[in-house]
Amino acid sequence: MKTRVRSNWSNAVLVCTKCSKKLDGGFGPKGRQPLGKALRKHLDLKKGRKAAAGVVDVKCLGVCPRGAVTVVNGAASREWLLVPAGADLDELVAALDLRDPADGDATR
């Protein structure tokens, strides 16, 4: 049995799927995608542990804001973000500090 598995993630972001479901999308170019999927596409992340960062959809974080989605940056887990529907994904990437430590660019 393996006790450890390697990952390329520089950061992990938790996105509440219950909040996203209540908004019925609200993100992406046409405003129809859930936040997790829109963020993965915006950052052009590979799938699974081979991605530069992980965007993980979780069931419920227990905050349940109206008209927004709860997001937690794993590196700064003491501060949670409430992202309103239609928010600019570039601003969200900056707020989550999803930067590649090697070159300072976003994890694209």
Side-chain angles (χ1 to χ4, degrees), residues 41-104:
K41 281 194 169 210
H42 182 73
L43 293 172
D44 196 28
L45 293 174
K46 294 180 185 176
K47 291 209 178 231
R49 60 190 182 92
K50 296 191 180 198
V55 177
V56 181
D57 293 319
V58 295
K59 290 199 181 257
C60 183
L61 293 168
V63 177
C64 304
R66 289 189 182 173
V69 177
T70 306
V71 177
V72 180
N73 181 352
S77 59
R78 293 181 60 95
E79 242 181 71
W80 295 13
L81 297 174
L82 304 179
V83 183
D88 183 22
L89 294 178
D90 285 325
E91 289 179 16
L92 179 59
V93 168
L96 291 170
D97 198 26
L98 291 177
R99 309 250 180 262
D100 188 359
D103 59 5

Side-chain angles (χ1 to χ4, degrees), residues 2-9 48-51:
K2 275 190 167 182
T3 57
R4 296 179 188 216
V5 178
R6 193 175 77 70
S7 161
N8 293 337
W9 291 4
R49 60 190 182 92
K50 296 191 180 198

